Amino acid sequence: MLRRTPTNAHSRCTSMRVLVTGGAGFIGANLVRHLSANSAYDVVVLDNLSAGQRRPIFPRGVRFTCGDFTDKATMKECLQGADTVVHLAALSGVIDSVEDPCPSFEVNVAGSFQLLELARAANVGRIINASTGGALLGEVAPPISEETAPCPLSPYGASKLAVEGYCSAFAGAYGLSCVTLRFSNIYGPRSAHKKSVVAAFIKSIIREEPLVVYGDGTQQRDYLYVGDLVRGIEAALKRRPTGVYQLGSGRPTTLHTLVATLKKVSGRDFRVRYEAGRSGEVHSTWCNIAKAAREFDYNAPTDLEAGLRTTWSWYLENRDIWVRQQALSASD
Ligand SMILES: NC(=O)c1ccc[n+]([C@@H]2O[C@H](COP(=O)([O-])OP(=O)(O)OC[C@H]3O[C@@H](n4cnc5c(N)ncnc54)[C@H](O)[C@@H]3O)[C@@H](O)[C@H]2O)c1
């Protein structure tokens, strides 16, 4: 097996240059703020602004390229001097991928394959690949773990599984150091463009519209506060684990409990409308986080009520920004 040592000129400097693809997105924006507050990291962002912030504002010192990671020349340029790539950019809509499976293949699979090829050629030291738990593993008895056999129910889940396979292959065949982190259901500030349940519910409450629950509300999810997730990603940067890890809260929560907690946190009375469940979505999923806890001290200390309080406050305080943002998206 070939092993590569990072030979980028930059890796001889004291700070680690981290390229974050999708750094203007929900998780990316939170990660970039977290890492850039620490002088140990020199943060570079590549994002085509196809989702989320249309006019992103990055913390001082962060370099931003507006471009497509599937574009070879752009990707090559951004990889220059990068020690680590945190690969977050993706088409992440499960329902969108069910409606049309082609874009998630072209961007998530073919684009990420090219990224790995270019990273190998550029002697990048390490890849952190963002993957998913529930959508990739399908309808299996929870808790899910790294041992659970994958059986995706949506093209999005299948695309993430394919990229995990290539990460494993590039590690095995070429010695490219890769870790795949399977995120659970992430919520938190800077998620206003997301269609995920917490973001959708909070926006509905603020607009005084009924909350729409698909199914009977007994579905379970593993809601992870984004602040805990970015600390987990940083731990994976520092401790350099390889292979696959579940990053979640390790706790199941039903939709009924989520709704009740949002009632408590918001102090508002709202209506809930029940509609038929949607295809491509698993009924219940939550994860066992013991492997990440054991191997790089990952933990998720923020409980649902505390995480929702911070998220609710962010939505109220930034209402002007996200309402304007959504108006911009709607006019695209
Ligand atoms: N949010 C979650 O709950 C969750 C759960 C599991 C996995 N993930 C994974 O985490 C990653 C980040 O998710 P997120 O919630 O922040 O999504 P997001 O949509 O908010 O962010 C993705 C970012 O990638 C950018 N992007 C998309 N295609 C691009 C391209 N071709 N070139 C350059 N930039 C591009 C978008 O503009 C956006 O800013 C994704 O890979 C997603 O699949 C997220």
Side-chain angles (χ1 to χ4, degrees):
M1 181 203 294
L2 294 177
R3 284 266 161 227
R4 280 182 188 277
T5 5
T7 54
N8 287 325
H10 187 81
S11 60
R12 289 192 291 273
C13 302
T14 47
S15 61
M16 178 197 289
R17 183 173 294 175
V18 183
L19 169 63
V20 183
T21 71
F26 162 42
I27 294 169
N30 285 282
L31 178 69
V32 166
R33 281 171 70 90
H34 178 75
L35 294 181
S36 63
N38 184 338
S39 60
Y41 306 108
D42 169 21
V43 182
V44 179
V45 170
L46 170 62
D47 198 302
N48 67 359
L49 306 185
S50 59
Q53 309 177 71
R54 291 296 188 271
R55 292 174 196 144
I57 299 169
F58 293 103
R60 250 179 99 127
V62 172
R63 270 163 302 152
F64 171 55
T65 298
C66 182
D68 203 304
F69 86 90
T70 66
D71 179 72
K72 202 168 184 174
T74 306
M75 194 65 230
K76 233 173 164 171
E77 203 177 311
C78 288
L79 284 169
Q80 278 178 22
D83 297 302
T84 297
V85 179
V86 182
H87 182 36
L88 299 174
L91 297 182
S92 58
V94 173
I95 301 301
D96 294 344
S97 82
V98 173
E99 282 166 8
D100 180 358
C102 298
S104 63
F105 174 80
E106 282 149 15
V107 174
N108 299 0
V109 184
S112 301
F113 172 81
Q114 178 177 266
L115 184 155
L116 290 173
E117 260 298 76
L118 295 174
R120 173 167 91 93
N123 257 355
V124 168
R126 184 158 172 74
I127 306 285
I128 296 183
N129 172 47
S131 191
T132 176
L136 181 146
L137 297 171
E139 199 69 77
V140 289
I144 55 174
S145 79
E146 298 78 2
E147 307 297 316
T148 310
C151 185
L153 293 183
S154 65
Y156 164 71
S159 74
K160 289 291 182 181
L161 179 59
V163 181
E164 287 194 7
Y166 280 115
C167 284
S168 169
F170 274 62
Y174 312 118
L176 184 64
S177 173
C178 294
V179 64
T180 283
L181 304 177
R182 290 181 180 163
F183 306 159
S184 64
N185 290 69
I186 315 303
Y187 71 95
R190 300 175 192 84
S191 56
H193 61 287
K194 300 293 292 184
K195 293 178 188 162
S196 47
V197 65
V198 174
F201 280 3
I202 289 182
K203 285 181 281 189
S204 295
I205 298 170
I206 293 175
R207 292 183 185 127
E208 299 182 2
E209 292 166 357
L211 272 51
V212 180
V213 168
Y214 296 98
D216 64 2
T218 59
Q219 309 85 305
Q220 293 176 320
R221 290 289 180 272
D222 183 320
Y223 298 105
L224 175 64
Y225 181 62
V226 72
D228 291 343
L229 175 70
V230 301
R231 282 186 289 277
I233 296 174
E234 187 190 11
L237 265 175
K238 286 184 176 159
R239 302 280 294 273
R240 302 181 64 83
T242 55
V244 175
Y245 295 85
Q246 297 287 159
L247 296 191
S249 68
R251 298 179 286 268
T253 301
T254 63
L255 268 180
H256 289 314
T257 302
L258 178 67
V259 168
T261 313
L262 278 170
K263 231 168 216 175
K264 187 172 174 193
V265 163
S266 67
R268 306 223 182 152
D269 200 18
F270 47 76
R271 282 185 304 119
V272 178
R273 196 174 74 228
Y274 290 89
E275 292 192 1
R278 299 179 296 187
S279 71
E281 287 189 315
V282 297
H283 182 269
S284 285
T285 177
W286 55 281
C287 61
N288 179 334
I289 54 174
K291 186 181 174 200
R294 193 172 59 240
E295 297 191 19
F296 53 100
D297 289 332
Y298 167 75
N299 63 11
T302 310
D303 70 22
L304 185 67
E305 188 176 326
L308 287 179
R309 276 194 198 287
T310 311
T311 310
W312 172 253
S313 301
W314 182 88
Y315 273 82
L316 289 185
E317 284 159 18
N318 294 279
R319 187 173 178 169
D320 286 355
I321 296 172
W322 62 262
V323 169
R324 194 170 60 238
Q325 184 76 61
Q326 293 207 320
L328 281 173
S329 309
S331 65
D332 281 352

